Each structure stands twice: as C-alpha cells, then as structure tokens.
C-alpha cells in the first residue's frame, strides 16, 4: 500500500509543476503587456472612404490621413511603424451640405485594441457634399494661333461630338452653359486639312463624357519657300577670341505665305556656332545651330558646318 501511495504522489508532481509554469508564464506576459515599459507613440493612419450615396458628390473635407497617439508596451509599439495602417470610414450617412463624422477609438478597428488611445488629430472630419448633377452642354470652339497678325486663316471647323455630358456638383454644373474648346493651330499644316483629338478641360470634380473630342479644320493660307542670308553668330563667353568662316550662310526655309515678307518674323531666324576647345592659332570645323520661329521649317542650309579660328595672342 505504501508503495502505491508513493507512486501516486510522483504522478501528481509533474502536474503541479506544469501548472506552476503556466501561472508564471501568464504573470510574465501580463507584466510585459500591462506593466513593463509602457510608452507613448504617434503614428499616421491612412483613411479610406466608402459608402458615399450615389446621388451625392463630396466637394470638400476628405483628408488622406490622421495622427493617432497611443500608449502601450514598448515591444508592441515598436512593431507599429513597420505596418501600413489603414482605416475605413463609412460615409453612407452624409447629407447634402455639411456633415460631421467623428473619429473615436471605436472606429479605429482591431489594430489598436492592445493600446490605450491618448489622442486623435483631427478628432472629426467635416464633410461637404452636393447633389450629383448630369447635364448636356455644347462645346464652344476657340481658335488660337502661335502666329500673330492673322497670319493663318481657318475655315470648315467641325467638332465631333458637338455636345458633351457633364457630371459633377450641382452648384458647379448648373452654372456651365458651354465648355470651351481651344484649338491651337499648327502653322506647319498651312494649306491642308487637319484632324486632331483634343482632351476637354473641365472644372475640378466635374467630368465630361466623352473626355476628348475629334476636331477638323482647314488652314486656307498656304506656305512658301524663302531664301535668307544669315550672319553666323559665335556663342559662348569667350566668343571674342574666335572668328568664323564663312561669316554668312544662305538658308532656305518654308514659312506661311502671309509672313513671307515680314522682316520682323524672318528676322527671328538665327544661325550660331559654339567654338570648340582650341589653342591660339588653331582652327576646327564646327556644326551650325539653327533657331527658327514658330511656323518656320528649315529646308536646306547651304552648309551645315563652318570653320572656327582662335585668334593668336
């Protein structure tokens, strides 16, 4: 009998030891989580919105992130900056006008349940919303040209489609009677029919359907070839130490007919050369550079290179 009782005591000893270990582990975890090194940390939380009513559009108040100050164990706080914290905010209850959406600990989700929430900035979101309005409006063409003085004449301007559907806040869309469409003429297309696709420019929060339109127009003024005698200019800080040969070159250019006799326009054609690195008395070939005004096309320069000489001291 004594032998049997002793064996029973030996069997109970491991169970008591395991229970003691479990209690000590639980106390240690409680100490780590609840007592040891409780610190504060500030983290940024990205905001995602959902549930916006289909008949409304938010015009102001949407923020991308909030700042949250937390208090908790150091070991857990260290892991937070390594995470991308995101919080979803439900906007299904907003109305037309101003709605205040509070931000509290109950709204921050499971990521923060192990911490004490000290502060949230901002503590609320002030949302402004307006009724979503759709409206069909015509396009208003504005023909613009980089050339002054009516150098280009345009005919047969057509836009397809001629109207677009605007969608956006009622306060904005209701005041729009037409959408301006600026057509920037291409001077090099003089005498031809031009086809372009132009994206529409609409106010903020307003979208257009379609977002771009097809434009067709004809530039009735043609183009002609002009021969110009241009002086070769030396570029660079030490240009006075150099000379160039020949000093002038003949250049053939194509220009709009209306500007073929405009001295001011043709005078914008510039020919230059940058001197290479030379010792005094040396010379070397260098490539010409041409600067053309808008609408001018370089056809065939008489030469593409000149000889640059560095003067002797």
């Amino acid at each position: 009998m004594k032998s049997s009782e002793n064996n029973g005591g030996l069997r109970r000893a491991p169970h008591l030891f395991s229970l003691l270990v479990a209690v000590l582990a639980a106390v240690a975890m409680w100490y780590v989580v609840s007592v040891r090194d409780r610190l504060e940390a500030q983290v940024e939380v990205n905001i995602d919105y959902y549930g916006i009513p289909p008949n409304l559009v938010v015009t102001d108040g949407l923020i991308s992130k909030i700042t949250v100050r937390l208090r908790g164990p150091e070991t857990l706080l260290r892991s937070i900056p390594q995470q991308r914290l995101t919080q979803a905010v439900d906007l299904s209850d907003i109305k037309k006008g101003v709605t205040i959406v509070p931000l509290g600990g109950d709204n921050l989700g499971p990521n923060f349940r192990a911490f004490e929430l000290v502060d949230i900035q901002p503590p609320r979101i002030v949302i402004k919303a307006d009724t979503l309005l759709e409206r069909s409006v015509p396009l208003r063409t504005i023909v613009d040209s980089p050339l002054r003085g009516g150098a280009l004449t345009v005919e047969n301007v057509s836009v397809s489609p001629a109207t677009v559907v605007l969608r956006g806040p009622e306060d904005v869309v209701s005041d729009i009677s037409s959408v301006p469409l600026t057509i920037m003429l291409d001077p090099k297309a003089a005498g031809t029919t031009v086809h372009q696709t132009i994206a529409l420019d609409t106010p903020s929060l307003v979208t257009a359907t379609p977002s771009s339109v097809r434009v067709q127009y004809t530039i009735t003024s043609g183009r002609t070839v002009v021969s110009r005698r241009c002086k070769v200019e030396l570029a660079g800080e030490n240009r006075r130490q150099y000379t160039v040969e020949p000093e002038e070159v003949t250049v053939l250019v194509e220009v709009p007919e209306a500007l073929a006799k405009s001295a001011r326009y043709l005078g914008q054609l510039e020919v230059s050369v940058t001197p290479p690195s030379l010792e005094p008395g040396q010379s070397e070939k260098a490539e010409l550079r041409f600067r053309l005004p808008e609408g001018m096309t370089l056809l065939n320069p008489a030469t593409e290179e000149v000889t640059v000489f560095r003067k002797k001291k």
Side-chain angles (χ1 to χ4, degrees):
M1 292 296 293
K2 290 183 180 180
S3 176
S4 176
E5 290 178 357
N6 290 337
N7 290 338
L10 292 174
R11 285 195 298 270
R12 284 195 296 271
H15 294 288
L16 292 173
F17 179 75
S18 299
L19 179 60
L20 179 60
V21 171
V23 171
L24 291 175
V27 171
M29 292 182 63
W30 170 83
Y31 174 77
V32 170
V33 174
S34 302
V35 179
R36 180 180 178 273
D37 296 334
R38 292 183 66 81
L39 303 176
E40 288 189 4
Q42 183 171 290
V43 297
E44 287 189 341
V45 180
N46 298 305
I47 301 296
D48 286 339
Y49 300 95
Y50 70 97
I52 299 176
N55 64 322
L56 295 179
V57 57
V58 176
T59 59
D60 193 19
L62 295 182
I63 59 176
S64 61
K65 60 183 62 178
I66 60 175
T67 301
V68 178
R69 192 163 187 81
L70 304 169
R71 182 182 293 119
E74 180 183 5
T75 53
L76 294 180
L77 288 173
R78 285 179 178 176
S79 65
I80 291 181
Q82 302 175 4
Q83 304 175 15
R84 185 182 183 277
L85 300 177
T86 302
Q87 178 58 41
V89 175
D90 185 4
L91 298 183
S92 59
D93 292 332
I94 65 172
K95 308 295 181 184
K96 180 179 180 179
V98 177
T99 303
I100 297 178
V101 181
L103 295 175
D106 296 338
N107 301 329
L108 292 182
N111 291 323
F112 303 95
R113 289 176 181 172
F115 305 98
E116 176 188 349
L117 182 62
V118 179
D119 186 36
I120 299 178
Q121 290 297 329
R124 66 187 62 85
I125 306 174
V126 181
I127 301 294
K128 292 183 179 180
D130 194 5
T131 302
L132 189 61
L133 177 65
E134 288 190 357
R135 183 184 178 195
S136 179
V137 298
L139 295 173
R140 175 169 49 88
T141 57
I142 302 172
V143 179
D144 196 5
S145 171
L147 304 180
R148 299 180 179 179
L152 296 177
T153 56
V154 181
E155 292 182 354
N156 304 322
V157 178
S158 65
V159 180
S160 178
T163 62
V164 294
V165 175
L166 298 182
R167 188 172 188 267
E170 181 180 14
D171 287 347
V172 179
V173 175
S174 60
D175 290 336
I176 300 176
S177 58
S178 62
V179 175
L181 178 67
T182 301
I183 303 173
M184 180 62 71
L185 302 180
D186 180 6
K188 297 180 181 179
T192 66
T193 298
V194 180
H195 300 270
Q196 292 179 332
T197 299
I198 301 178
L200 299 178
D201 186 15
T202 57
S204 177
L205 301 178
V206 177
T207 59
T209 304
S211 59
S212 60
V213 295
R214 292 281 298 169
V215 175
Q216 176 179 308
Y217 60 89
T218 302
I219 301 179
T220 55
S221 54
R223 294 174 65 81
T224 187
V225 176
V226 176
S227 176
R228 293 285 293 173
R229 189 72 179 168
C230 300
K231 181 180 178 179
V232 179
E233 301 287 346
L234 284 161
E237 296 181 357
N238 301 321
R239 55 184 178 275
R240 294 185 179 180
Q241 300 178 9
Y242 300 86
T243 60
V244 61
E245 189 177 294
E247 296 182 350
E248 293 183 341
V249 293
T250 300
V251 182
L252 291 180
V253 292
E254 186 182 72
V255 300
E257 287 181 348
L259 296 175
K261 296 182 180 180
S262 172
R264 181 178 178 180
Y265 176 75
L266 298 177
Q268 297 179 51
L269 169 61
E270 297 179 1
V271 182
S272 64
V273 63
T274 300
S277 179
L278 299 173
E279 295 294 330
Q282 290 184 338
S283 64
E284 188 176 318
K285 293 284 187 180
E287 186 176 347
L288 290 174
R289 296 181 179 180
F290 299 87
R291 182 179 179 183
L292 310 176
E294 188 69 42
M296 180 180 291
T297 303
L298 180 65
L299 295 180
N300 184 24
T303 179
E304 295 183 357
E305 289 184 337
V306 292
T307 303
V308 178
F309 299 86
R310 181 165 183 179
K311 299 177 183 178
K312 295 181 180 181
K313 294 183 178 179

PDB file of all heavy atoms in Angstrom, residues 4-5 11 26 29 39 48 65 74 81 85 90 93 126 138 147 154 173 183 185 228 233 256 269 273-274 288 293 298:
ATOM      1  N   SER A   4       2.136   1.996  -3.375  1.00  0.00           N
ATOM      2  CA  SER A   4       1.117   2.559  -4.279  1.00  0.00           C
ATOM      3  C   SER A   4       0.917   4.027  -4.021  1.00  0.00           C
ATOM      4  O   SER A   4       0.793   4.834  -4.932  1.00  0.00           O
ATOM      5  CB  SER A   4      -0.195   1.778  -4.106  1.00  0.00           C
ATOM      6  OG  SER A   4      -1.209   2.358  -4.896  1.00  0.00           O
ATOM      7  N   GLU A   5       0.892   4.456  -2.753  1.00  0.00           N
ATOM      8  CA  GLU A   5       0.692   5.876  -2.438  1.00  0.00           C
ATOM      9  C   GLU A   5       1.872   6.709  -2.921  1.00  0.00           C
ATOM     10  O   GLU A   5       1.702   7.829  -3.425  1.00  0.00           O
ATOM     11  CB  GLU A   5       0.515   6.019  -0.921  1.00  0.00           C
ATOM     12  CG  GLU A   5      -0.804   5.460  -0.425  1.00  0.00           C
ATOM     13  CD  GLU A   5      -0.922   5.568   1.074  1.00  0.00           C
ATOM     14  OE1 GLU A   5       0.072   6.025   1.698  1.00  0.00           O
ATOM     15  OE2 GLU A   5      -1.980   5.208   1.617  1.00  0.00           O
ATOM     16  N   ARG A  11       3.180  10.828  -9.495  1.00  0.00           N
ATOM     17  CA  ARG A  11       2.432  11.184 -10.713  1.00  0.00           C
ATOM     18  C   ARG A  11       1.854  12.595 -10.628  1.00  0.00           C
ATOM     19  O   ARG A  11       1.715  13.289 -11.601  1.00  0.00           O
ATOM     20  CB  ARG A  11       1.317  10.158 -10.947  1.00  0.00           C
ATOM     21  CG  ARG A  11       1.812   8.815 -11.478  1.00  0.00           C
ATOM     22  CD  ARG A  11       0.650   8.002 -12.025  1.00  0.00           C
ATOM     23  NE  ARG A  11      -0.318   7.706 -10.967  1.00  0.00           N
ATOM     24  CZ  ARG A  11      -0.250   6.604 -10.205  1.00  0.00           C
ATOM     25  NH1 ARG A  11       0.761   5.748 -10.327  1.00  0.00           N
ATOM     26  NH2 ARG A  11      -1.185   6.368  -9.297  1.00  0.00           N
ATOM     27  N   ALA A  26       1.911  33.242 -17.488  1.00  0.00           N
ATOM     28  CA  ALA A  26       0.803  34.193 -17.606  1.00  0.00           C
ATOM     29  C   ALA A  26       1.121  35.491 -16.895  1.00  0.00           C
ATOM     30  O   ALA A  26       0.836  36.589 -17.394  1.00  0.00           O
ATOM     31  CB  ALA A  26      -0.474  33.566 -17.046  1.00  0.00           C
ATOM     32  N   MET A  29       3.639  37.451 -19.024  1.00  0.00           N
ATOM     33  CA  MET A  29       3.008  38.096 -20.178  1.00  0.00           C
ATOM     34  C   MET A  29       2.190  39.302 -19.739  1.00  0.00           C
ATOM     35  O   MET A  29       2.190  40.356 -20.381  1.00  0.00           O
ATOM     36  CB  MET A  29       2.128  37.093 -20.927  1.00  0.00           C
ATOM     37  CG  MET A  29       2.912  35.997 -21.628  1.00  0.00           C
ATOM     38  SD  MET A  29       1.841  34.870 -22.536  1.00  0.00           S
ATOM     39  CE  MET A  29       1.151  36.006 -23.737  1.00  0.00           C
ATOM     40  N   LEU A  39       4.939  52.969 -22.945  1.00  0.00           N
ATOM     41  CA  LEU A  39       5.388  54.197 -23.593  1.00  0.00           C
ATOM     42  C   LEU A  39       4.278  54.771 -24.456  1.00  0.00           C
ATOM     43  O   LEU A  39       3.239  54.141 -24.666  1.00  0.00           O
ATOM     44  CB  LEU A  39       6.627  53.912 -24.456  1.00  0.00           C
ATOM     45  CG  LEU A  39       7.834  53.298 -23.737  1.00  0.00           C
ATOM     46  CD1 LEU A  39       8.921  52.994 -24.746  1.00  0.00           C
ATOM     47  CD2 LEU A  39       8.344  54.227 -22.649  1.00  0.00           C
ATOM     48  N   ASP A  48      -9.391  55.446 -45.794  1.00  0.00           N
ATOM     49  CA  ASP A  48     -10.132  55.021 -46.983  1.00  0.00           C
ATOM     50  C   ASP A  48     -11.618  55.266 -46.732  1.00  0.00           C
ATOM     51  O   ASP A  48     -12.127  54.955 -45.647  1.00  0.00           O
ATOM     52  CB  ASP A  48      -9.899  53.536 -47.282  1.00  0.00           C
ATOM     53  CG  ASP A  48      -8.519  53.279 -47.860  1.00  0.00           C
ATOM     54  OD1 ASP A  48      -7.917  54.236 -48.382  1.00  0.00           O
ATOM     55  OD2 ASP A  48      -8.036  52.137 -47.776  1.00  0.00           O
ATOM     56  N   LYS A  65      -5.166  61.236 -44.248  1.00  0.00           N
ATOM     57  CA  LYS A  65      -4.620  60.527 -43.096  1.00  0.00           C
ATOM     58  C   LYS A  65      -4.914  61.280 -41.808  1.00  0.00           C
ATOM     59  O   LYS A  65      -5.221  62.478 -41.830  1.00  0.00           O
ATOM     60  CB  LYS A  65      -3.117  60.317 -43.244  1.00  0.00           C
ATOM     61  CG  LYS A  65      -2.302  61.592 -43.370  1.00  0.00           C
ATOM     62  CD  LYS A  65      -0.832  61.292 -43.597  1.00  0.00           C
ATOM     63  CE  LYS A  65      -0.593  60.529 -44.877  1.00  0.00           C
ATOM     64  NZ  LYS A  65       0.839  60.276 -45.134  1.00  0.00           N
ATOM     65  N   GLU A  74       6.261  48.747 -24.834  1.00  0.00           N
ATOM     66  CA  GLU A  74       7.288  49.121 -25.803  1.00  0.00           C
ATOM     67  C   GLU A  74       7.437  48.080 -26.901  1.00  0.00           C
ATOM     68  O   GLU A  74       7.606  48.415 -28.079  1.00  0.00           O
ATOM     69  CB  GLU A  74       8.620  49.318 -25.082  1.00  0.00           C
ATOM     70  CG  GLU A  74       9.772  49.701 -26.004  1.00  0.00           C
ATOM     71  CD  GLU A  74      11.083  49.814 -25.260  1.00  0.00           C
ATOM     72  OE1 GLU A  74      11.098  49.493 -24.052  1.00  0.00           O
ATOM     73  OE2 GLU A  74      12.081  50.209 -25.881  1.00  0.00           O
ATOM     74  N   PRO A  81       5.276  51.125 -36.478  1.00  0.00           N
ATOM     75  CA  PRO A  81       5.778  51.870 -37.639  1.00  0.00           C
ATOM     76  C   PRO A  81       6.098  51.013 -38.838  1.00  0.00           C
ATOM     77  O   PRO A  81       6.199  51.503 -39.953  1.00  0.00           O
ATOM     78  CB  PRO A  81       7.043  52.551 -37.082  1.00  0.00           C
ATOM     79  CG  PRO A  81       6.826  52.609 -35.602  1.00  0.00           C
ATOM     80  CD  PRO A  81       6.058  51.365 -35.276  1.00  0.00           C
ATOM     81  N   LEU A  85      -0.820  51.292 -41.708  1.00  0.00           N
ATOM     82  CA  LEU A  85      -2.093  51.349 -41.005  1.00  0.00           C
ATOM     83  C   LEU A  85      -3.124  52.074 -41.856  1.00  0.00           C
ATOM     84  O   LEU A  85      -2.896  53.192 -42.326  1.00  0.00           O
ATOM     85  CB  LEU A  85      -1.914  52.065 -39.667  1.00  0.00           C
ATOM     86  CG  LEU A  85      -0.913  51.409 -38.705  1.00  0.00           C
ATOM     87  CD1 LEU A  85      -0.766  52.241 -37.455  1.00  0.00           C
ATOM     88  CD2 LEU A  85      -1.365  50.003 -38.371  1.00  0.00           C
ATOM     89  N   ASP A  90     -16.930  55.100 -42.980  1.00  0.00           N
ATOM     90  CA  ASP A  90     -18.228  54.957 -43.650  1.00  0.00           C
ATOM     91  C   ASP A  90     -18.879  56.331 -43.812  1.00  0.00           C
ATOM     92  O   ASP A  90     -19.090  57.055 -42.836  1.00  0.00           O
ATOM     93  CB  ASP A  90     -19.125  54.038 -42.820  1.00  0.00           C
ATOM     94  CG  ASP A  90     -20.441  53.738 -43.520  1.00  0.00           C
ATOM     95  OD1 ASP A  90     -20.615  54.173 -44.674  1.00  0.00           O
ATOM     96  OD2 ASP A  90     -21.288  53.064 -42.901  1.00  0.00           O
ATOM     97  N   ASP A  93     -23.965  57.955 -44.264  1.00  0.00           N
ATOM     98  CA  ASP A  93     -24.953  58.795 -43.584  1.00  0.00           C
ATOM     99  C   ASP A  93     -24.803  60.281 -43.899  1.00  0.00           C
ATOM    100  O   ASP A  93     -25.515  61.107 -43.314  1.00  0.00           O
ATOM    101  CB  ASP A  93     -24.851  58.599 -42.065  1.00  0.00           C
ATOM    102  CG  ASP A  93     -25.291  57.209 -41.636  1.00  0.00           C
ATOM    103  OD1 ASP A  93     -26.129  56.623 -42.344  1.00  0.00           O
ATOM    104  OD2 ASP A  93     -24.785  56.721 -40.608  1.00  0.00           O
ATOM    105  N   VAL A 126     -15.030  67.040 -41.240  1.00  0.00           N
ATOM    106  CA  VAL A 126     -16.151  67.878 -41.666  1.00  0.00           C
ATOM    107  C   VAL A 126     -16.315  67.714 -43.180  1.00  0.00           C
ATOM    108  O   VAL A 126     -15.482  68.174 -43.970  1.00  0.00           O
ATOM    109  CB  VAL A 126     -15.915  69.353 -41.305  1.00  0.00           C
ATOM    110  CG1 VAL A 126     -17.104  70.197 -41.742  1.00  0.00           C
ATOM    111  CG2 VAL A 126     -15.691  69.498 -39.800  1.00  0.00           C
ATOM    112  N   PRO A 138     -23.216  72.292 -74.939  1.00  0.00           N
ATOM    113  CA  PRO A 138     -22.467  72.357 -76.203  1.00  0.00           C
ATOM    114  C   PRO A 138     -21.006  72.731 -75.970  1.00  0.00           C
ATOM    115  O   PRO A 138     -20.630  73.249 -74.913  1.00  0.00           O
ATOM    116  CB  PRO A 138     -23.198  73.450 -76.978  1.00  0.00           C
ATOM    117  CG  PRO A 138     -23.744  74.357 -75.911  1.00  0.00           C
ATOM    118  CD  PRO A 138     -24.112  73.456 -74.758  1.00  0.00           C
ATOM    119  N   LEU A 147       1.029  82.270 -84.205  1.00  0.00           N
ATOM    120  CA  LEU A 147       1.466  83.359 -85.073  1.00  0.00           C
ATOM    121  C   LEU A 147       0.550  84.556 -84.907  1.00  0.00           C
ATOM    122  O   LEU A 147      -0.673  84.426 -84.853  1.00  0.00           O
ATOM    123  CB  LEU A 147       1.470  82.911 -86.535  1.00  0.00           C
ATOM    124  CG  LEU A 147       2.314  81.671 -86.848  1.00  0.00           C
ATOM    125  CD1 LEU A 147       2.229  81.343 -88.320  1.00  0.00           C
ATOM    126  CD2 LEU A 147       3.754  81.877 -86.434  1.00  0.00           C
ATOM    127  N   VAL A 154      -8.551  80.270 -91.156  1.00  0.00           N
ATOM    128  CA  VAL A 154      -9.085  78.932 -90.910  1.00  0.00           C
ATOM    129  C   VAL A 154     -10.522  78.859 -91.398  1.00  0.00           C
ATOM    130  O   VAL A 154     -11.307  79.796 -91.228  1.00  0.00           O
ATOM    131  CB  VAL A 154      -9.030  78.595 -89.403  1.00  0.00           C
ATOM    132  CG1 VAL A 154      -9.567  77.195 -89.152  1.00  0.00           C
ATOM    133  CG2 VAL A 154      -7.610  78.720 -88.893  1.00  0.00           C
ATOM    134  N   VAL A 173     -22.038  72.529 -61.964  1.00  0.00           N
ATOM    135  CA  VAL A 173     -22.527  72.135 -63.290  1.00  0.00           C
ATOM    136  C   VAL A 173     -23.686  73.018 -63.741  1.00  0.00           C
ATOM    137  O   VAL A 173     -23.811  73.346 -64.934  1.00  0.00           O
ATOM    138  CB  VAL A 173     -22.934  70.648 -63.285  1.00  0.00           C
ATOM    139  CG1 VAL A 173     -23.569  70.251 -64.617  1.00  0.00           C
ATOM    140  CG2 VAL A 173     -21.723  69.769 -62.994  1.00  0.00           C
ATOM    141  N   ILE A 183      -8.576  75.374 -79.868  1.00  0.00           N
ATOM    142  CA  ILE A 183      -7.911  74.697 -80.984  1.00  0.00           C
ATOM    143  C   ILE A 183      -6.648  75.481 -81.307  1.00  0.00           C
ATOM    144  O   ILE A 183      -6.713  76.602 -81.817  1.00  0.00           O
ATOM    145  CB  ILE A 183      -8.820  74.623 -82.214  1.00  0.00           C
ATOM    146  CG1 ILE A 183     -10.134  73.907 -81.861  1.00  0.00           C
ATOM    147  CG2 ILE A 183      -8.114  73.929 -83.369  1.00  0.00           C
ATOM    148  CD1 ILE A 183     -11.151  73.934 -82.988  1.00  0.00           C
ATOM    149  N   LEU A 185      -3.725  76.115 -83.581  1.00  0.00           N
ATOM    150  CA  LEU A 185      -3.397  75.822 -84.978  1.00  0.00           C
ATOM    151  C   LEU A 185      -1.937  75.433 -85.127  1.00  0.00           C
ATOM    152  O   LEU A 185      -1.064  75.933 -84.416  1.00  0.00           O
ATOM    153  CB  LEU A 185      -3.693  77.039 -85.853  1.00  0.00           C
ATOM    154  CG  LEU A 185      -5.131  77.567 -85.824  1.00  0.00           C
ATOM    155  CD1 LEU A 185      -5.257  78.773 -86.744  1.00  0.00           C
ATOM    156  CD2 LEU A 185      -6.113  76.482 -86.229  1.00  0.00           C
ATOM    157  N   ARG A 228      17.109  83.019 -97.161  1.00  0.00           N
ATOM    158  CA  ARG A 228      17.600  84.038 -96.240  1.00  0.00           C
ATOM    159  C   ARG A 228      19.121  83.973 -96.135  1.00  0.00           C
ATOM    160  O   ARG A 228      19.718  82.895 -96.081  1.00  0.00           O
ATOM    161  CB  ARG A 228      17.009  83.819 -94.838  1.00  0.00           C
ATOM    162  CG  ARG A 228      15.522  84.053 -94.761  1.00  0.00           C
ATOM    163  CD  ARG A 228      15.196  85.525 -94.785  1.00  0.00           C
ATOM    164  NE  ARG A 228      15.677  86.200 -93.581  1.00  0.00           N
ATOM    165  CZ  ARG A 228      15.639  87.517 -93.405  1.00  0.00           C
ATOM    166  NH1 ARG A 228      15.162  88.292 -94.361  1.00  0.00           N
ATOM    167  NH2 ARG A 228      16.083  88.056 -92.276  1.00  0.00           N
ATOM    168  N   GLU A 233      26.506  83.715 -85.879  1.00  0.00           N
ATOM    169  CA  GLU A 233      26.866  84.292 -84.595  1.00  0.00           C
ATOM    170  C   GLU A 233      27.688  83.283 -83.789  1.00  0.00           C
ATOM    171  O   GLU A 233      27.412  82.092 -83.796  1.00  0.00           O
ATOM    172  CB  GLU A 233      25.613  84.673 -83.801  1.00  0.00           C
ATOM    173  CG  GLU A 233      24.718  85.673 -84.499  1.00  0.00           C
ATOM    174  CD  GLU A 233      25.325  87.071 -84.507  1.00  0.00           C
ATOM    175  OE1 GLU A 233      26.302  87.305 -83.749  1.00  0.00           O
ATOM    176  OE2 GLU A 233      24.814  87.926 -85.259  1.00  0.00           O
ATOM    177  N   PRO A 256       4.646  80.426 -93.613  1.00  0.00           N
ATOM    178  CA  PRO A 256       3.302  80.761 -94.076  1.00  0.00           C
ATOM    179  C   PRO A 256       3.349  81.933 -95.069  1.00  0.00           C
ATOM    180  O   PRO A 256       4.125  82.878 -94.898  1.00  0.00           O
ATOM    181  CB  PRO A 256       2.571  81.160 -92.780  1.00  0.00           C
ATOM    182  CG  PRO A 256       3.318  80.469 -91.697  1.00  0.00           C
ATOM    183  CD  PRO A 256       4.746  80.449 -92.132  1.00  0.00           C
ATOM    184  N   LEU A 269      14.901  84.197 -87.428  1.00  0.00           N
ATOM    185  CA  LEU A 269      15.755  83.081 -87.813  1.00  0.00           C
ATOM    186  C   LEU A 269      17.190  83.405 -87.404  1.00  0.00           C
ATOM    187  O   LEU A 269      17.756  84.415 -87.834  1.00  0.00           O
ATOM    188  CB  LEU A 269      15.662  82.842 -89.324  1.00  0.00           C
ATOM    189  CG  LEU A 269      16.682  81.879 -89.934  1.00  0.00           C
ATOM    190  CD1 LEU A 269      16.553  80.483 -89.337  1.00  0.00           C
ATOM    191  CD2 LEU A 269      16.530  81.840 -91.454  1.00  0.00           C
ATOM    192  N   VAL A 273      27.099  79.206 -83.831  1.00  0.00           N
ATOM    193  CA  VAL A 273      28.058  78.115 -83.699  1.00  0.00           C
ATOM    194  C   VAL A 273      28.760  78.283 -82.353  1.00  0.00           C
ATOM    195  O   VAL A 273      29.048  79.406 -81.923  1.00  0.00           O
ATOM    196  CB  VAL A 273      29.071  78.113 -84.865  1.00  0.00           C
ATOM    197  CG1 VAL A 273      29.914  79.382 -84.868  1.00  0.00           C
ATOM    198  CG2 VAL A 273      29.959  76.878 -84.784  1.00  0.00           C
ATOM    199  N   THR A 274      29.003  77.176 -81.678  1.00  0.00           N
ATOM    200  CA  THR A 274      29.737  77.193 -80.414  1.00  0.00           C
ATOM    201  C   THR A 274      31.176  76.806 -80.691  1.00  0.00           C
ATOM    202  O   THR A 274      31.441  75.710 -81.194  1.00  0.00           O
ATOM    203  CB  THR A 274      29.113  76.209 -79.406  1.00  0.00           C
ATOM    204  OG1 THR A 274      27.758  76.588 -79.160  1.00  0.00           O
ATOM    205  CG2 THR A 274      29.882  76.207 -78.100  1.00  0.00           C
ATOM    206  N   LEU A 288      26.740  73.996 -87.317  1.00  0.00           N
ATOM    207  CA  LEU A 288      25.850  75.145 -87.154  1.00  0.00           C
ATOM    208  C   LEU A 288      24.604  74.753 -86.368  1.00  0.00           C
ATOM    209  O   LEU A 288      24.142  73.612 -86.430  1.00  0.00           O
ATOM    210  CB  LEU A 288      25.431  75.694 -88.525  1.00  0.00           C
ATOM    211  CG  LEU A 288      26.520  76.391 -89.346  1.00  0.00           C
ATOM    212  CD1 LEU A 288      25.988  76.738 -90.725  1.00  0.00           C
ATOM    213  CD2 LEU A 288      27.016  77.656 -88.642  1.00  0.00           C
ATOM    214  N   PRO A 293      11.656  80.552 -85.713  1.00  0.00           N
ATOM    215  CA  PRO A 293      10.407  80.983 -85.077  1.00  0.00           C
ATOM    216  C   PRO A 293       9.283  79.987 -85.360  1.00  0.00           C
ATOM    217  O   PRO A 293       9.408  79.122 -86.242  1.00  0.00           O
ATOM    218  CB  PRO A 293      10.126  82.339 -85.733  1.00  0.00           C
ATOM    219  CG  PRO A 293      10.785  82.243 -87.068  1.00  0.00           C
ATOM    220  CD  PRO A 293      12.017  81.406 -86.868  1.00  0.00           C
ATOM    221  N   LEU A 298      12.986  74.475 -91.596  1.00  0.00           N
ATOM    222  CA  LEU A 298      14.285  74.517 -92.252  1.00  0.00           C
ATOM    223  C   LEU A 298      14.313  73.493 -93.379  1.00  0.00           C
ATOM    224  O   LEU A 298      14.032  72.307 -93.156  1.00  0.00           O
ATOM    225  CB  LEU A 298      15.386  74.215 -91.231  1.00  0.00           C
ATOM    226  CG  LEU A 298      16.824  74.211 -91.747  1.00  0.00           C
ATOM    227  CD1 LEU A 298      17.230  75.604 -92.208  1.00  0.00           C
ATOM    228  CD2 LEU A 298      17.770  73.706 -90.649  1.00  0.00           C
TER     229      LEU A 298
END
